[in-house]
PDB file of all heavy atoms in Angstrom:
ATOM      1  N   ILE C  31     154.912  93.345  64.219  1.00 96.00           N
ATOM      2  CA  ILE C  31     154.252  94.671  64.405  1.00 96.00           C
ATOM      3  C   ILE C  31     155.030  95.477  65.274  1.00 96.00           C
ATOM      4  O   ILE C  31     155.400  95.008  66.359  1.00 96.00           O
ATOM      5  CB  ILE C  31     152.814  94.588  64.889  1.00 96.00           C
ATOM      6  CG1 ILE C  31     152.007  93.747  63.839  1.00 96.00           C
ATOM      7  CG2 ILE C  31     152.147  95.848  65.360  1.00 96.00           C
ATOM      8  CD1 ILE C  31     150.635  93.255  64.295  1.00 96.00           C
ATOM      9  N   VAL C  32     155.670  96.709  64.782  1.00 96.00           N
ATOM     10  CA  VAL C  32     156.611  97.483  65.647  1.00 96.00           C
ATOM     11  C   VAL C  32     155.881  98.705  66.168  1.00 96.00           C
ATOM     12  O   VAL C  32     155.336  99.501  65.352  1.00 96.00           O
ATOM     13  CB  VAL C  32     157.673  97.769  64.746  1.00 96.00           C
ATOM     14  CG1 VAL C  32     158.775  98.596  65.543  1.00 96.00           C
ATOM     15  CG2 VAL C  32     158.460  96.550  64.096  1.00 96.00           C
ATOM     16  N   GLN C  33     155.979  98.834  67.462  1.00 96.00           N
ATOM     17  CA  GLN C  33     155.320 100.100  68.075  1.00 96.00           C
ATOM     18  C   GLN C  33     156.355 101.089  68.326  1.00 96.00           C
ATOM     19  O   GLN C  33     157.442 100.726  68.921  1.00 96.00           O
ATOM     20  CB  GLN C  33     154.620  99.743  69.423  1.00 96.00           C
ATOM     21  CG  GLN C  33     153.813 100.788  70.006  1.00 96.00           C
ATOM     22  CD  GLN C  33     152.970 100.326  71.181  1.00 96.00           C
ATOM     23  OE1 GLN C  33     153.422  99.344  71.962  1.00 96.00           O
ATOM     24  NE2 GLN C  33     151.954 101.004  71.543  1.00 96.00           N
ATOM     25  N   VAL C  34     156.028 102.269  68.034  1.00 93.00           N
ATOM     26  CA  VAL C  34     157.050 103.450  68.279  1.00 93.00           C
ATOM     27  C   VAL C  34     156.408 104.563  69.041  1.00 93.00           C
ATOM     28  O   VAL C  34     155.169 104.703  69.124  1.00 93.00           O
ATOM     29  CB  VAL C  34     157.619 103.942  66.942  1.00 93.00           C
ATOM     30  CG1 VAL C  34     158.260 102.969  66.142  1.00 93.00           C
ATOM     31  CG2 VAL C  34     156.454 104.590  66.102  1.00 93.00           C
ATOM     32  N   HIS C  35     157.255 105.268  69.689  1.00 89.00           N
ATOM     33  CA  HIS C  35     156.751 106.511  70.336  1.00 89.00           C
ATOM     34  C   HIS C  35     156.126 107.472  69.329  1.00 89.00           C
ATOM     35  O   HIS C  35     156.715 107.664  68.344  1.00 89.00           O
ATOM     36  CB  HIS C  35     157.943 107.204  71.149  1.00 89.00           C
ATOM     37  CG  HIS C  35     158.260 106.507  72.432  1.00 89.00           C
ATOM     38  ND1 HIS C  35     157.537 106.740  73.597  1.00 89.00           N
ATOM     39  CD2 HIS C  35     159.231 105.811  72.771  1.00 89.00           C
ATOM     40  CE1 HIS C  35     157.995 105.939  74.561  1.00 89.00           C
ATOM     41  NE2 HIS C  35     159.091 105.489  74.136  1.00 89.00           N
ATOM     42  N   HIS C  36     154.979 107.966  69.777  1.00 79.00           N
ATOM     43  CA  HIS C  36     154.204 108.921  68.891  1.00 79.00           C
ATOM     44  C   HIS C  36     155.012 110.073  68.516  1.00 79.00           C
ATOM     45  O   HIS C  36     154.967 110.513  67.474  1.00 79.00           O
ATOM     46  CB  HIS C  36     152.910 109.124  69.674  1.00 79.00           C
ATOM     47  CG  HIS C  36     152.226 110.361  69.013  1.00 79.00           C
ATOM     48  ND1 HIS C  36     151.878 110.339  67.871  1.00 79.00           N
ATOM     49  CD2 HIS C  36     151.628 111.437  69.711  1.00 79.00           C
ATOM     50  CE1 HIS C  36     151.094 111.564  67.460  1.00 79.00           C
ATOM     51  NE2 HIS C  36     150.995 112.174  68.597  1.00 79.00           N
ATOM     52  N   ASP C  37     155.892 110.648  69.501  1.00 78.00           N
ATOM     53  CA  ASP C  37     156.355 111.861  69.266  1.00 78.00           C
ATOM     54  C   ASP C  37     157.980 111.814  69.003  1.00 78.00           C
ATOM     55  O   ASP C  37     158.553 112.772  69.184  1.00 78.00           O
ATOM     56  CB  ASP C  37     156.191 112.804  70.348  1.00 78.00           C
ATOM     57  CG  ASP C  37     156.475 112.228  71.800  1.00 78.00           C
ATOM     58  OD1 ASP C  37     156.973 111.143  71.693  1.00 78.00           O
ATOM     59  OD2 ASP C  37     156.173 112.765  72.756  1.00 78.00           O
ATOM     60  N   SER C  38     158.511 110.638  68.682  1.00 79.00           N
ATOM     61  CA  SER C  38     159.936 110.488  68.648  1.00 79.00           C
ATOM     62  C   SER C  38     160.464 110.588  67.309  1.00 79.00           C
ATOM     63  O   SER C  38     161.644 110.304  67.095  1.00 79.00           O
ATOM     64  CB  SER C  38     160.335 109.143  69.262  1.00 79.00           C
ATOM     65  OG  SER C  38     159.688 108.159  68.617  1.00 79.00           O
ATOM     66  N   LYS C  39     159.639 110.924  66.175  1.00 82.00           N
ATOM     67  CA  LYS C  39     160.233 110.993  64.846  1.00 82.00           C
ATOM     68  C   LYS C  39     161.222 112.133  64.628  1.00 82.00           C
ATOM     69  O   LYS C  39     160.828 113.353  64.988  1.00 82.00           O
ATOM     70  CB  LYS C  39     158.941 111.202  63.953  1.00 82.00           C
ATOM     71  CG  LYS C  39     159.535 111.399  62.399  1.00 82.00           C
ATOM     72  CD  LYS C  39     158.292 111.489  61.558  1.00 82.00           C
ATOM     73  CE  LYS C  39     157.555 112.918  61.539  1.00 82.00           C
ATOM     74  NZ  LYS C  39     158.290 113.841  61.013  1.00 82.00           N
ATOM     75  N   PRO C  40     162.329 111.808  64.209  1.00 85.00           N
ATOM     76  CA  PRO C  40     163.287 112.983  64.031  1.00 85.00           C
ATOM     77  C   PRO C  40     162.741 113.937  62.943  1.00 85.00           C
ATOM     78  O   PRO C  40     162.155 113.427  61.897  1.00 85.00           O
ATOM     79  CB  PRO C  40     164.558 112.341  63.453  1.00 85.00           C
ATOM     80  CG  PRO C  40     164.446 110.878  63.884  1.00 85.00           C
ATOM     81  CD  PRO C  40     163.002 110.543  63.838  1.00 85.00           C
ATOM     82  N   SER C  41     162.967 115.321  62.978  1.00 85.00           N
ATOM     83  CA  SER C  41     162.420 116.201  62.025  1.00 85.00           C
ATOM     84  C   SER C  41     162.925 116.178  60.634  1.00 85.00           C
ATOM     85  O   SER C  41     162.338 116.657  59.806  1.00 85.00           O
ATOM     86  CB  SER C  41     162.714 117.681  62.650  1.00 85.00           C
ATOM     87  OG  SER C  41     164.103 117.704  62.855  1.00 85.00           O
ATOM     88  N   ILE C  42     164.106 115.489  60.438  1.00 88.00           N
ATOM     89  CA  ILE C  42     164.574 115.411  59.072  1.00 88.00           C
ATOM     90  C   ILE C  42     163.667 114.520  58.186  1.00 88.00           C
ATOM     91  O   ILE C  42     163.893 114.492  56.999  1.00 88.00           O
ATOM     92  CB  ILE C  42     166.035 114.840  59.061  1.00 88.00           C
ATOM     93  CG1 ILE C  42     166.119 113.383  59.752  1.00 88.00           C
ATOM     94  CG2 ILE C  42     166.907 115.650  59.629  1.00 88.00           C
ATOM     95  CD1 ILE C  42     167.327 112.689  59.555  1.00 88.00           C
ATOM     96  N   PHE C  43     162.787 113.721  58.718  1.00 88.00           N
ATOM     97  CA  PHE C  43     161.907 112.826  57.963  1.00 88.00           C
ATOM     98  C   PHE C  43     160.536 113.464  57.672  1.00 88.00           C
ATOM     99  O   PHE C  43     159.958 113.925  58.621  1.00 88.00           O
ATOM    100  CB  PHE C  43     161.792 111.468  58.596  1.00 88.00           C
ATOM    101  CG  PHE C  43     163.089 110.743  58.656  1.00 88.00           C
ATOM    102  CD1 PHE C  43     163.707 110.528  59.886  1.00 88.00           C
ATOM    103  CD2 PHE C  43     163.724 110.205  57.573  1.00 88.00           C
ATOM    104  CE1 PHE C  43     164.920 109.882  60.089  1.00 88.00           C
ATOM    105  CE2 PHE C  43     164.954 109.437  57.624  1.00 88.00           C
ATOM    106  CZ  PHE C  43     165.501 109.326  58.902  1.00 88.00           C
ATOM    107  N   PRO C  44     160.110 113.586  56.552  1.00 89.00           N
ATOM    108  CA  PRO C  44     158.792 114.188  56.161  1.00 89.00           C
ATOM    109  C   PRO C  44     157.676 113.532  56.788  1.00 89.00           C
ATOM    110  O   PRO C  44     156.662 114.148  57.242  1.00 89.00           O
ATOM    111  CB  PRO C  44     158.804 114.243  54.668  1.00 89.00           C
ATOM    112  CG  PRO C  44     159.750 113.216  54.202  1.00 89.00           C
ATOM    113  CD  PRO C  44     160.698 113.177  55.247  1.00 89.00           C
ATOM    114  N   THR C  45     157.624 112.151  56.874  1.00 89.00           N
ATOM    115  CA  THR C  45     156.546 111.331  57.425  1.00 89.00           C
ATOM    116  C   THR C  45     157.187 110.279  58.245  1.00 89.00           C
ATOM    117  O   THR C  45     158.282 109.881  58.229  1.00 89.00           O
ATOM    118  CB  THR C  45     155.722 110.728  56.416  1.00 89.00           C
ATOM    119  OG1 THR C  45     156.494 109.793  55.681  1.00 89.00           O
ATOM    120  CG2 THR C  45     155.185 111.758  55.258  1.00 89.00           C
ATOM    121  N   HIS C  46     156.238 109.804  59.127  1.00 88.00           N
ATOM    122  CA  HIS C  46     156.499 108.614  59.946  1.00 88.00           C
ATOM    123  C   HIS C  46     157.100 107.458  59.080  1.00 88.00           C
ATOM    124  O   HIS C  46     158.038 106.723  59.340  1.00 88.00           O
ATOM    125  CB  HIS C  46     155.357 108.090  60.810  1.00 88.00           C
ATOM    126  CG  HIS C  46     155.260 108.888  62.152  1.00 88.00           C
ATOM    127  ND1 HIS C  46     154.654 110.092  62.120  1.00 88.00           N
ATOM    128  CD2 HIS C  46     155.741 108.656  63.325  1.00 88.00           C
ATOM    129  CE1 HIS C  46     154.860 110.451  63.438  1.00 88.00           C
ATOM    130  NE2 HIS C  46     155.340 109.692  64.242  1.00 88.00           N
ATOM    131  N   LYS C  47     156.464 107.216  57.916  1.00 90.00           N
ATOM    132  CA  LYS C  47     156.792 106.112  57.006  1.00 90.00           C
ATOM    133  C   LYS C  47     158.191 106.318  56.571  1.00 90.00           C
ATOM    134  O   LYS C  47     158.864 105.255  56.496  1.00 90.00           O
ATOM    135  CB  LYS C  47     155.701 105.965  55.895  1.00 90.00           C
ATOM    136  CG  LYS C  47     155.967 104.656  55.051  1.00 90.00           C
ATOM    137  CD  LYS C  47     155.089 104.498  53.959  1.00 90.00           C
ATOM    138  CE  LYS C  47     155.349 103.158  53.306  1.00 90.00           C
ATOM    139  NZ  LYS C  47     154.689 103.016  51.938  1.00 90.00           N
TER     140      LYS C  47
END
Side-chain angles (χ1 to χ4, degrees):
I31 294 166
V32 182
Q33 188 177 26
V34 297
H35 277 285
H36 167 46
D37 51 3
S38 56
K39 176 177 74 69
S41 56
I42 54 167
F43 296 108
T45 66
H46 275 84
K47 188 174 184 197

